[in-house]
Amino acid sequence: MTPFGEKLRVHRERKGLSQAELAKAVGVSAAYLSALEHGYRGRPGFDLVQRIIGTLGIIWDEAEELVALARLSHPKVTIDTAGLHPKATEAANLLAKEIRFLPEKDLDALLRFLEKTRKSGPDSR
């Protein structure tokens, strides 16, 4: 499941809609919406995210969060380490190999570290 899919499910269930009902309302198939929630489909397009936000009545901070999560929810990531330090390539490959075995607490720590690095890095990326 992707961060977007997890949050989408929470909002959909909070609104009391089935996947089929939401899918029909936003103009996609129930199978596509299910795949999106379960992380078997890549990032949804901006227009679809906006239709979901409107249909579910999501406002302000929660809407911004859903848009941001959509950007970070591509389940098949490619990391280009060409031209970087060899340790960057080693780290990317090791993470790809081992991420499925990391406990949630370690993933939380890794995410906090990366978020801290992103906020303090050059031009705050």
Side-chain angles (χ1 to χ4, degrees):
M1 184 173 284
T2 64
F4 176 81
E6 180 178 46
K7 188 61 77 168
L8 173 58
R9 174 177 282 169
V10 167
H11 284 293
R12 179 181 57 74
E13 290 177 347
R14 187 183 302 158
K15 199 72 168 173
L17 294 174
S18 68
Q19 285 180 341
E21 291 168 328
L22 179 58
K24 183 177 181 181
V26 299
V28 298
S29 71
Y32 175 79
L33 190 65
S34 176
L36 198 55
E37 280 192 9
H38 288 93
Y40 296 115
R41 295 292 289 188
R43 287 181 283 236
F46 183 77
D47 291 339
L48 175 57
V49 175
Q50 293 304 310
R51 290 194 309 269
I52 290 169
I53 287 169
T55 300
L56 296 177
I58 302 169
I59 59 172
W60 305 107
D61 292 343
E62 288 185 328
E64 288 180 18
E65 178 188 26
L66 202 59
V67 170
L69 288 175
R71 283 190 217 113
L72 294 173
S73 290
H74 193 6
K76 295 181 182 180
V77 178
T78 301
I79 301 175
D80 182 2
T81 60
L84 299 179
H85 193 283
K87 288 183 181 182
T89 301
E90 181 182 3
N93 280 273
L94 187 57
L95 181 60
K97 181 180 175 192
E98 299 297 328
I99 196 163
R100 72 182 69 249
F101 305 112
L102 291 177
E104 188 174 352
K105 68 178 181 56
D106 291 343
L107 291 170
D108 288 340
L110 180 59
L111 285 168
R112 282 192 304 275
F113 172 77
L114 292 171
E115 187 63 26
K116 180 181 170 187
T117 302
R118 184 181 66 82
K119 287 182 180 177
S120 65
D123 302 321
S124 295
R125 293 183 230 346

